[in-house]
Amino acid sequence: MSTQGSVESELDDFDNKALSILVVDDDRTNRLVLNALLSKEGYKISEAADGQQAVDSCLETTPDLILMDVMMPVMDGYEATRQIKAMEVDAFIPIIFLTALTDDESLAACVTAGGDDFLSKPFNRIILQAKIRAMLRLKHSYSVQLQQKKMLSNHAKQEEQEQLVAKKLFSNVVHTGSLESPNIKYIISPMSIFNGDMLLAAYSPSGSLFVMLGDFTGHGLKAAIGALPVSEIFYGMVAKGYSIGDIVFEINARLKKILPTGLFCAGSLVEFDPEYQSISIWSGGVPDTIVFHPEEGIRMKIEPKNVPLGILEPNTFNRSVQMYPLKEDDRIYLYSDGVIEAENAAGGMFGQSRLDQCFDKDSDPDFLFETVLGSLSDFVDGKSQTDDTTCIEILCNASHDQNETEEWKSKSRSKIPLGWDIALDLNADALKEVDPLPIITQTIMEIQGIIEHRERIYTVLAELFSNALDHGILGLDSKLKQSAEGFAQYYTQREENLNNLTDGFVKIHIRHDAVDNKGQLTIHIQDSGKGFEYQDQNTDMSHNTGHSGRGIPLIKTLCREFEYCGNGNEVTAIYEWEYKN
Amino acid sequence: MSVMAEQSGSDTIIKIVGRFDFNVHQEFRNAYEGADGDFVVDMSQTDYIDSSALGMLLLLREHAGGDKASIKITHTNEEIKKILTISNFQTMFNIE
């Protein structure tokens, strides 16, 4: 707002204008006296001889101020005041009563009728001038205020209009994709884009369902701007068959470029593959992903393992994806922290434990999503905020509606299965320096173009290679990883043993064959370790839980065949893929 | 005064009292602008942090040299530690 000085000067301008005063009096002499007195002050004077004339005059042109007599023929000053005050829409017309009456009741009646001030006749001209001036000053500040109020409300209307247009624009780009699939239930605020929440879903050429939940820091335009490239990258890359790792890498790189430091996007990307009955997930900055099974309740909670999107430079960004085997009827729940942090009127938070309680194994799984929403809305009870609530349920049945994927199949980038093999032998020095996994994965991708299988193949290779190196050569015990402390100890010891390694090798042999209309990738890994009694291992996986949980059971889910051989220092896994052109 | 800064050797110690959210962003910035060397963010008297606080910590990190920055976040309570680890901030900050 303006400073004191400029307020004063505004008022001076205001005083200099020819302000109009309506003098209402049935006594002609009184009117003449006032007219003469006030004209000399520079005011523009008009006259009315009774209340009715005053009302009529105001209907024609509204004066800046009215001097009103009380007792007049036709219509008295009280009634005229009531009518004039009732007619004014958004202007403030100050009315000062000039009256011969001096009793308290009559004077009070002036104010009751709507008068703003009063002065008894005979009046002191200096006091009258001062009162007029004071009233006009009041009127001025009122009109300034009114003008600002109008501007604000116009601005708000305009903003609302712009938001509607923007929403339409955004929803063309950040569209809901395959969210209407029968195996998906979700909730997201209609104005979510301006809350910074986004939910995207699409099927890949191979028939996997990709879902992304994103939650930008901040609200409004700055959050919405980030949603545009994320959506474009997501839909574009999923349709081309890229894997989650590739997609998050790209999204992160773009957001890092466009978002100022301090703004970022927490999110999770999930791929549900009905063919391999597995999920792959990358998440950072969002609450744990819940996997529910009707017979077990909450079967798994997947913690976010990454820094949110848009913070790290591409060269330090971690694109690695976690992969888990799924059971028939598993349901996956992704939700924004708005669910956990939903507040009730008393200021309490909904919280993780209230959410977890919804996932009772005795409850009807078909209404679980509704149970969660019901529990949430009971908790916030009327406090009107479910705006930040974004939540999605994915029912992971192999038998879900595949119609949508048919049209994509022809777009797969995989090449016809070919016959080839590669081998990579790493000695102790190479094992310290080289990570062979990206090199091998990349080579397989270059030759066969099966990018939609990338994460699965990488996961199989990574598990087998780390078993060979960690257990076979470095002699670490996987049981260590079953406790949180042991987990840390495991990695300290691993680093130490690797540094001291002078002898040993890992031989990786990859062969690819075309079998009918399928590609068969045989992965054979041999290490220089002494091996182990694998007869138990090949059958009993029960100890493989907790921190070392995924390991071998996952490989068995992903691969057609898997077995240890030799002294247990060799392993063969066969990964199969179908050529769908 | 909800953000206080003091010098301890070459370390600048920034202490946030009460809620660490968008309302203190100006104060927080004042606390590190003009200072260099290592930073310690003392959360012993911080009740709550939100995602805009994470953003402010990233701004501090950028000010202190990005990947070369040495920033310690100390005395975090369980709630706060949880929020920091959900976003894996332990990979960018030294959280105690």
Side-chain angles (χ1 to χ4, degrees):
Chain A
M1 271 297 290
S2 34
T3 62
Q4 194 63 36
S6 66
V7 168
E8 281 301 320
S9 70
E10 264 173 44
L11 265 179
D12 286 347
D13 288 349
F14 177 76
D15 283 351
N16 289 339
K17 274 184 229 147
L19 293 165
S20 61
I21 295 177
L22 174 64
V23 176
V24 189
D25 203 313
D26 57 334
D27 185 325
R28 189 159 171 272
T29 317
N30 283 348
R31 294 204 301 272
L32 280 175
V33 171
L34 283 166
N35 196 329
L37 175 72
L38 298 171
S39 296
K40 226 168 62 187
E41 294 280 315
Y43 297 113
K44 209 177 104 199
I45 307 301
S46 53
E47 298 180 16
D50 59 54
Q52 188 57 56
Q53 278 187 22
V55 172
D56 293 345
S57 161
C58 285
L59 283 173
E60 217 159 276
T61 42
T62 45
D64 290 311
L65 183 141
I66 300 171
L67 296 176
M68 184 75 80
D69 188 19
V70 176
M71 296 198 293
M72 291 175 291
V74 188
M75 185 190 286
D76 67 11
Y78 297 137
E79 181 54 28
T81 299
R82 267 190 288 274
Q83 291 196 14
I84 291 167
K85 287 286 181 181
M87 80 171 66
E88 64 183 59
V89 185
D90 55 3
F92 167 50
I93 310 170
I95 298 179
I96 301 174
F97 277 95
L98 290 178
T99 172
L101 302 170
T102 50
D103 61 298
D104 294 350
E105 273 177 39
S106 304
L107 293 177
C110 296
V111 175
T112 312
D116 299 289
D117 203 351
F118 49 79
L119 194 57
S120 296
K121 290 182 204 171
F123 53 82
N124 175 317
R125 47 190 288 186
I126 306 232
I127 291 186
L128 177 65
Q129 283 163 0
K131 284 202 180 216
I132 288 174
R133 227 183 120 81
M135 252 333 134
L136 287 172
R137 201 190 291 262
L138 194 67
K139 178 190 166 72
H140 176 64
S141 69
Y142 177 85
S143 73
V144 168
Q145 209 183 2
L146 192 76
Q147 211 179 347
Q148 285 169 345
K149 210 171 116 186
K150 263 191 189 164
M151 271 171 60
L152 270 179
S153 99
N154 281 344
H155 188 74
K157 268 189 210 142
Q158 207 179 336
E159 173 123 346
E160 198 179 330
Q161 195 57 38
E162 277 177 6
Q163 288 225 351
L164 281 174
V165 175
K167 184 179 180 284
K168 182 80 194 89
L169 279 173
F170 277 119
S171 56
N172 290 337
V173 181
V174 190
H175 56 93
T176 51
S178 304
L179 281 179
E180 306 306 330
S181 292
N183 55 331
I184 290 179
K185 289 180 184 173
Y186 69 98
I187 179 171
I188 183 165
S189 145
M191 290 305 275
S192 57
I193 286 166
F194 300 102
N195 300 332
D197 279 7
M198 62 192 304
L199 203 51
L200 311 170
Y203 284 94
S204 73
S206 64
S208 279
L209 173 63
F210 282 69
V211 172
M212 173 169 185
L213 181 146
D215 180 1
F216 283 89
T217 45
H219 294 255
L221 202 56
K222 58 186 180 185
I225 282 173
L228 288 174
V230 170
S231 174
E232 276 197 43
I233 293 170
F234 177 85
Y235 286 117
M237 291 183 77
V238 172
K240 291 190 182 112
Y242 282 98
S243 67
I244 290 187
D246 291 330
I247 299 171
V248 285
F249 183 84
E250 201 58 37
I251 291 175
N252 176 69
R254 187 79 66 87
L255 288 180
K256 173 68 188 163
K257 215 172 186 180
I258 63 171
L259 295 181
T261 304
L263 282 187
F264 54 84
C265 178
S268 42
L269 246 98
V270 169
E271 175 192 353
F272 162 54
D273 186 330
E275 197 179 328
Y276 293 84
Q277 198 60 22
S278 63
I279 57 162
S280 309
I281 179 165
W282 183 99
S283 66
V286 290
D288 295 352
T289 301
I290 291 175
V291 180
F292 171 89
H293 191 273
E295 280 157 23
E296 297 174 47
I298 295 183
R299 199 164 77 68
M300 208 161 32
K301 275 188 166 184
I302 305 171
E303 292 175 352
K305 288 269 195 291
N306 302 284
V307 174
L309 297 160
I311 295 175
L312 297 175
E313 294 289 350
N315 60 349
T316 50
F317 181 73
N318 181 7
R319 48 155 291 163
S320 66
V321 167
Q322 298 159 262
M323 195 175 287
Y324 301 91
L326 285 182
K327 297 183 174 180
E328 186 78 4
D329 294 332
D330 267 342
R331 282 162 202 262
I332 300 168
Y333 293 85
L334 309 178
Y335 46 97
S336 64
D337 55 12
V339 173
I340 308 284
E341 290 168 9
E343 273 183 28
N344 63 8
M349 276 200 211
F350 185 61
Q352 186 75 50
S353 59
R354 262 191 207 88
L355 178 65
D356 291 355
Q357 278 164 20
C358 300
F359 295 92
D360 188 9
K361 65 179 169 191
D362 294 328
S363 57
D364 184 343
D366 286 337
F367 292 100
L368 202 50
F369 188 74
E370 290 74 11
T371 307
V372 171
L373 296 189
S375 169
L376 185 62
S377 83
D378 283 353
F379 177 78
V380 299
D381 188 30
K383 198 182 173 224
S384 62
Q385 69 80 58
T386 36
D387 278 0
D388 287 343
T389 308
T390 303
C391 181
I392 182 167
E393 175 198 85
I394 307 161
L395 172 59
C396 297
N397 277 345
S399 56
H400 80 271
D401 187 1
Q402 292 269 345
N403 292 340
E404 199 155 355
T405 68
E406 294 297 330
E407 59 181 293
W408 292 114
K409 280 186 179 170
S410 61
K411 294 185 189 167
S412 175
R413 289 151 56 105
S414 58
K415 293 174 193 151
I416 196 157
L418 309 166
W420 49 269
D421 73 328
I422 49 171
L424 199 59
D425 292 4
L426 299 154
N427 67 14
D429 288 339
L431 286 169
K432 286 181 200 174
E433 296 297 328
V434 179
D435 178 1
L437 301 172
I439 304 167
I440 296 174
T441 314
Q442 193 52 39
T443 308
I444 297 170
M445 294 308 129
E446 297 284 338
I447 301 174
Q448 284 300 155
I450 41 176
I451 48 178
E452 61 264 44
H453 297 268
R454 183 190 195 114
E455 301 304 342
R456 282 184 294 272
I457 291 171
Y458 183 90
T459 301
V460 173
L461 279 168
E463 289 297 336
L464 297 181
F465 177 72
S466 79
N467 278 348
L469 180 60
D470 291 15
H471 308 314
I473 295 179
L474 301 178
L476 298 164
D477 187 353
S478 68
K479 289 200 185 87
L480 255 187
K481 287 203 271 187
Q482 283 168 21
S483 74
E485 313 86 70
F487 202 72
Q489 197 190 331
Y490 180 92
Y491 282 100
T492 319
Q493 204 178 325
R494 183 184 186 279
E495 204 179 325
E496 201 182 305
N497 292 6
L498 187 59
N499 278 333
N500 297 332
L501 189 70
T502 52
D503 235 8
F505 64 81
V506 176
K507 292 177 191 243
I508 304 169
H509 184 219
I510 311 278
R511 196 178 78 229
H512 190 270
D513 300 295
V515 180
D516 301 328
N517 205 29
K518 285 176 179 162
Q520 224 173 56
L521 196 68
T522 306
I523 301 164
H524 181 259
I525 294 185
Q526 184 189 357
D527 66 66
S528 58
K530 60 183 188 312
F532 70 109
E533 287 290 325
Y534 56 83
Q535 270 69 22
D536 305 339
Q537 268 282 348
N538 275 343
T539 52
D540 176 27
M541 298 297 148
S542 56
H543 81 278
N544 225 323
T545 54
H547 289 269
S548 59
R550 39 201 208 112
I552 302 306
L554 177 63
I555 294 180
K556 291 197 153 182
T557 316
L558 298 178
C559 291
R560 207 185 70 128
E561 276 174 43
F562 170 82
E563 60 172 2
Y564 288 106
C565 40
N567 298 325
N569 64 333
E570 288 178 53
V571 64
T572 305
I574 300 178
Y575 182 90
E576 202 168 69
W577 61 278
E578 198 176 341
Y579 182 62
K580 285 176 180 167
N581 248 0
Chain B
M1 194 62 173
S2 43
V3 179
M4 285 167 288
E6 62 176 29
Q7 210 66 30
S8 165
S10 67
D11 290 359
T12 304
I13 301 172
I14 303 172
K15 189 179 215 170
I16 300 108
V17 181
R19 291 171 72 91
F20 187 9
D21 59 19
F22 192 73
N23 293 319
V24 302
H25 84 281
Q26 192 56 47
E27 282 181 74
F28 186 75
R29 204 169 74 186
N30 293 343
Y32 66 75
E33 264 180 358
D36 48 19
D38 294 349
F39 289 90
V40 178
V41 180
D42 179 349
M43 297 228 186
S44 57
Q45 291 181 51
T46 312
D47 313 321
Y48 168 86
I49 67 171
D50 68 0
S51 63
S52 59
L54 299 183
M56 287 183 261
L57 289 170
L58 291 171
L59 284 165
L60 166 62
R61 185 169 176 272
E62 186 180 66
H63 171 85
D67 291 346
K68 287 178 230 88
S70 164
I71 300 169
K72 226 185 262 180
I73 302 176
T74 64
H75 305 99
T76 50
N77 69 31
E78 281 308 309
E79 265 323 289
I80 292 175
K81 199 172 272 171
K82 177 111 208 277
I83 290 171
L84 291 170
T85 48
I86 279 179
S87 290
N88 281 275
F89 270 38
Q90 71 277 13
T91 59
M92 295 182 285
F93 298 87
N94 194 344
I95 299 173
E96 290 178 359

